[in-house]
Amino acid sequence: MARQPIRSYDEDLLRKAFDMARKAREGGDHPFGSVLADANGALLMEQGNGYSSEGGDRTAHAERMLASRAARAYPLDFLSRCTLYTSAEPCAMCAGAIYWAGIGRVVFGQTEKSLKDQTGDHEENPTLDLPCGIVFSAGQRQTEVVGPMLEEEAAQLQAEFWENKH
C-alpha cells in the first residue's frame, strides 16, 4: 500500500467520516462512514453504511454507495482529483466501486485485517482481509492510498457494536 504525503486537512476529513459512522450506528446501521472531498479539501458528499436503512442490502457499504453517487454527480476528470475518506479500509467490492467511479485518492482509518480480527466470523460482516491497494494496483488508472490513519480511533467505532452482536 502506498504511503503518500498527508495533506493538512486529512485528519479533519477522516474524522468527518468517523462522524458519519457514528450517525449510521445511531440510525441502526453498521458503524461505517465515508465522505468525499475535492482537491482542495472542500466537503462534497457524506454517506453512512446502509445495511439496515437499505432493507438488509449487504452491498450497501458507505464507500460503495458514496462512489456510486459521486459517479452520477461528477465527471471523471473532476473525481480523479477527489479524495474519499472512510472509517475503515475499503473492501474489495468498495475498492472496485471507487476505482470504477474514478476517485483518485483514498484515506482510511482502520485496516481490513484489523477489522476482521475485531469482528471475527460474523454473518453481517464477513470481512475480506484483502488490502484495497492490491485491488487498485490491478487497475489501469492510479488510485492513491493513505492509511491506516487514526487507526485506534477508527477501531473504537467498531468495538462495542460487534461485541454486542456476538
Side-chain angles (χ1 to χ4, degrees), residues 51-68:
Y51 174 78
S52 297
S53 59
E54 296 291 321
D57 181 353
R58 292 177 300 281
T59 70
H61 295 189
E63 304 93 332
R64 201 259 322 141
M65 292 171 58
L66 186 65
S68 293

Side-chain angles (χ1 to χ4, degrees), residues 76-97:
L76 188 59
D77 64 329
F78 178 78
L79 286 175
S80 71
R81 297 183 306 275
C82 290
T83 301
L84 186 145
Y85 295 85
T86 187
S87 57
E89 183 174 9
C91 71
M93 173 187 70
C94 292

Side-chain angles (χ1 to χ4, degrees), residues 24-149:
R25 181 179 178 173
E26 290 165 6
D29 272 305
H30 296 163
F32 297 95
S34 297
V35 300
L36 183 70
D38 70 12
N40 298 311
L43 188 63
L44 301 171
M45 292 182 170
E46 301 174 318
Q47 181 68 55
N49 184 278
Y51 174 78
S52 297
S53 59
E54 296 291 321
D57 181 353
R58 292 177 300 281
T59 70
H61 295 189
E63 304 93 332
R64 201 259 322 141
M65 292 171 58
L66 186 65
S68 293
R69 288 176 50 215
R72 290 189 299 270
Y74 300 106
L76 188 59
D77 64 329
F78 178 78
L79 286 175
S80 71
R81 297 183 306 275
C82 290
T83 301
L84 186 145
Y85 295 85
T86 187
S87 57
E89 183 174 9
C91 71
M93 173 187 70
C94 292
I98 291 164
Y99 173 81
W100 283 104
I103 298 167
R105 185 170 183 258
V106 172
V107 175
F108 69 87
Q110 185 178 23
T111 65
E112 275 283 275
K113 177 166 179 29
S114 170
L115 180 64
K116 183 179 179 185
D117 291 345
Q118 196 172 27
T119 62
D121 183 20
H122 197 283
E123 179 179 285
E124 291 180 15
N125 198 44
T127 305
L128 295 167
D129 183 2
L130 178 63
C132 67
I134 292 173
V135 176
F136 293 135
S137 70
Q140 296 180 52
R141 68 171 76 98
Q142 183 176 349
T143 305
E144 182 181 331
V145 178
V146 178
M149 184 186 293

